[in-house]
Amino acid sequence: SEFAHPYDVLNSASVSLTVASPRGGLSPVDPSSIDAAKDDQVSTNFINSPSTKSLFEQTRPLSDFVGNPSAIAPFSAIFFPGGHGPMFDLATSPESQQLIREFWDAGKVVAAVCHGPAALVNVKLADGSHLLKGRKVTGFTNEEEDMVQLSKFMPFMLEDKLKEAVGPEGAFEKAPGAWGEKVVVDAEGRLITGQNPASATGVGKAILKAISS
């Protein structure tokens, strides 16, 4: 749902999307995400439709874009959906970190939802400062991770890592209760984060607003 709902928002507005993954080719889909969204029509349509299955079955490798200004020039934003995968690969991927930095330095939008902000926790800018320092962000909370009983399997707790990244000048924001919708927009619309699956549509709308302004 964290990809299906933003895709639905953006595709409905005729926004062109390109999907990339660390290695390219088939991008694994978190089985628990499929099960959790089995009653969500937008998500089931996305995962089963031949027109959208190719998006995650035939992804382009990050290496196609990293260090290639002309390759990222046509794009207005980079977006990281969740599933637990980003906690284990994108969080420590030098290619992903460099690509995020290049998008940011080019004045583009950087967005993520649920566990997707894991891709942002170690990103540093050209001057050595942290991308998230002093920013307002959100992501999957410690409480939500505990509730799905996966905290012990995580390499780190995303809420803790985001709080560390933003520092005392920034803020980690969250909905009043677990699983509530929360979308945080900062840096004049260029940094967009969502807390959980319920925030996916809101993140899609925020991205659309940012790239349309």
Side-chain angles (χ1 to χ4, degrees), residues 204-213:
K205 291 178 178 178
I207 294 172
L208 181 59
K209 179 179 179 180
I211 64 176
S212 302
S213 59

Side-chain angles (χ1 to χ4, degrees), residues 144-160:
E144 289 166 335
E145 201 71 81
D146 289 342
M147 289 176 71
V148 296
Q149 301 181 356
L150 291 174
S151 296
K152 64 182 179 180
F153 300 109
M154 295 298 105
F156 57 88
M157 296 298 285
L158 181 56
E159 178 178 342
D160 293 345

Side-chain angles (χ1 to χ4, degrees), residues 131-206:
L131 168 69
L132 299 182
K133 183 179 180 182
R135 301 297 185 187
K136 295 178 181 178
V137 299
T138 191
F140 206 60
T141 66
N142 291 350
E143 180 184 10
E144 289 166 335
E145 201 71 81
D146 289 342
M147 289 176 71
V148 296
Q149 301 181 356
L150 291 174
S151 296
K152 64 182 179 180
F153 300 109
M154 295 298 105
F156 57 88
M157 296 298 285
L158 181 56
E159 178 178 342
D160 293 345
K161 198 72 170 178
L162 286 169
K163 287 179 176 177
E164 177 185 328
V166 301
E169 305 93 347
F172 178 88
E173 301 182 357
K174 54 187 175 182
W179 309 108
E181 179 181 357
K182 183 66 176 182
V183 177
V184 177
V185 180
D186 199 17
E188 299 179 334
R190 292 184 54 214
L191 180 63
I192 301 167
T193 49
Q195 180 177 324
N196 48 32
S199 310
T201 296
V203 167
K205 291 178 178 178

Side-chain angles (χ1 to χ4, degrees), residues 57-160:
E57 291 183 345
Q58 301 172 25
T59 68
R60 293 178 61 179
L62 293 180
S63 57
D64 281 0
F65 305 95
V66 176
N68 189 346
S70 63
I72 70 170
F75 298 98
S76 300
I78 187 169
F79 167 60
F80 295 89
H84 285 87
M87 299 283 285
F88 295 89
D89 51 18
L90 296 178
T92 55
S93 165
E95 282 189 323
S96 176
Q97 292 169 28
Q98 182 179 341
L99 188 59
I100 294 167
R101 181 169 61 250
E102 290 172 352
F103 265 72
W104 189 262
D105 288 345
K108 302 176 185 291
V109 173
V110 173
V113 66
C114 201
H115 288 91
L120 312 180
V121 297
N122 293 311
V123 177
K124 292 188 176 180
L125 303 177
D127 63 2
S129 65
H130 202 294
L131 168 69
L132 299 182
K133 183 179 180 182
R135 301 297 185 187
K136 295 178 181 178
V137 299
T138 191
F140 206 60
T141 66
N142 291 350
E143 180 184 10
E144 289 166 335
E145 201 71 81
D146 289 342
M147 289 176 71
V148 296
Q149 301 181 356
L150 291 174
S151 296
K152 64 182 179 180
F153 300 109
M154 295 298 105
F156 57 88
M157 296 298 285
L158 181 56
E159 178 178 342
D160 293 345

Side-chain angles (χ1 to χ4, degrees), residues 31-40:
S32 64
S33 296
I34 296 177
D35 184 65
K38 65 180 182 297
D39 297 322
D40 174 21

